Amino acid sequence: MGRLYQLDALRGIAALMVVVFHFFYHYDSKYGHSFAVFEWVHLGKTGVYLFFIISGFVIFWTLSRSDRPMDFIFSRFSRLYPPFWVAVILTFSFTSLIGPENRVVSWEALVANLTMFHEYFGYPHVDGVYWTLSIELAFYILSLLAFFLGLLRFADSVCLVWLSISFFSALSGLDFGILDKALLLKYNLLFVLGIAFYRYWSGQGKAMPLLCISVSIVLAFVRFPLDEAVTIVIWVGLFSMIISGRLMWLNQSLLIWLGSISYSLYLIHQNIGYGIIELGYRYDLTPLISITFALLVSFLGAQIITSYVERPSLALLRSWYKDRKKSIKPGVVDGV
């Protein structure tokens, strides 16, 4: 199974949607723009939902190539942490110097953020977008637990039980407390969609993955507002066409490039962009100029982090890990 470049393109589309949502709709709701923002722009936040679907697909693909739990753990660490550390320090420094003032956090929160588990210890995010990383980490832990327990071969059944718990939680109105967050009961349908698409695409099943997808779609209309649920259905349609070999037109260099910088772009755009836009208003610049500059800084910063941090650290760390595995157990093939 080769790389699906259409997924990279979808990552790029998702990242761009989230950036547009933040710089226009969300900035307007928090600080106020001097112009009217179309209401439909709020759907840009569903780019995050697309990220979660892609994550479900990619994580189970990664697990299928992992010989042991540490392969998966190191794969995620080497992929996520180095660019995240740089983004945290840059964002903290920028907001401390430039603003917005209400987004500055303490030094203690900065240190806690570097663990990526800061939300679970009650510390605020250095950048608001990091809330999704807490959800991703919870999904990784659940996936790793399934790997430990040998449940991956029963993934469809486990996913259906998981969805059933979410249905019960939503329809009963009961407060599941910390379990609601630990089991990702609001967002689990998105990860299940990705898992089901992966299993269907990889030939691990047909009927059961399709059942998981169908149940997830129904749950989307229970868990999310109508317009967001409809957008999720659109993502499902796009995924369906991609895994069936269609939508090759997505393999556009611009979209693939956006996909390649999407993680770094996501990490650094919000608070730094807000600071630039706020600074523009402070000096009576037209919003078009300040938003354009915020976009340029975000794209440039993301490209620099991708080129000089994310890719080199990923190659270096995975090369070290591969050599270490071979020295411990000669002949083992890298599983990450």
Side-chain angles (χ1 to χ4, degrees), residues 23 33 273 276-281 285-296:
F23 287 0
H33 272 306
I276 292 172
I277 295 170
E278 184 182 71
L279 196 63
Y281 276 117
L285 296 177
T286 64
L288 177 61
I289 293 176
S290 57
I291 291 174
T292 299
F293 189 61
L295 286 168
L296 290 174

Side-chain angles (χ1 to χ4, degrees), residues 9 28 42 54 79 125 147 172 203 244 246 291 304 317 332:
D28 186 54
H42 83 277
I54 294 172
R79 170 76 173 86
H125 304 293
F147 187 90
S172 68
S244 62
R246 286 173 283 178
I291 291 174
I304 291 172
L317 288 171
V332 173

Side-chain angles (χ1 to χ4, degrees), residues 55-171:
S55 181
F57 189 100
V58 171
I59 291 310
F60 265 63
W61 194 353
T62 302
L63 284 170
S64 71
R65 295 178 293 164
S66 300
D67 298 323
R68 53 188 180 181
M70 185 53 67
D71 292 348
F72 175 75
I73 294 171
F74 196 84
S75 171
R76 294 298 87 200
F77 172 84
S78 60
R79 170 76 173 86
L80 297 183
Y81 273 89
F84 174 71
W85 287 332
V86 173
V88 167
I89 293 170
L90 285 175
T91 302
F92 176 83
S93 301
F94 185 93
T95 52
S96 297
L97 293 172
I98 307 296
E101 186 176 337
N102 68 336
R103 291 179 178 265
V104 178
V105 301
S106 66
W107 283 94
E108 292 83 358
L110 167 67
V111 174
N113 269 249
L114 295 175
T115 69
M116 209 183 286
F117 286 91
H118 55 280
E119 185 175 343
Y120 297 104
F121 299 106
Y123 287 97
H125 304 293
V126 167
D127 193 305
V129 299
Y130 298 166
W131 71 270
T132 62
L133 299 180
S134 299
I135 291 175
E136 286 281 353
L137 285 174
F139 175 60
Y140 296 166
I141 292 170
L142 291 174
S143 300
L144 190 60
L145 181 62
F147 187 90
F148 266 121
L149 298 176
L151 296 177
L152 295 185
R153 63 184 182 276
F154 308 114
D156 298 318
S157 299
V158 172
C159 285
L160 287 173
V161 171
W162 196 17
L163 292 173
S164 298
I165 297 172
S166 183
F167 261 114
F168 179 76
S169 170
L171 297 176

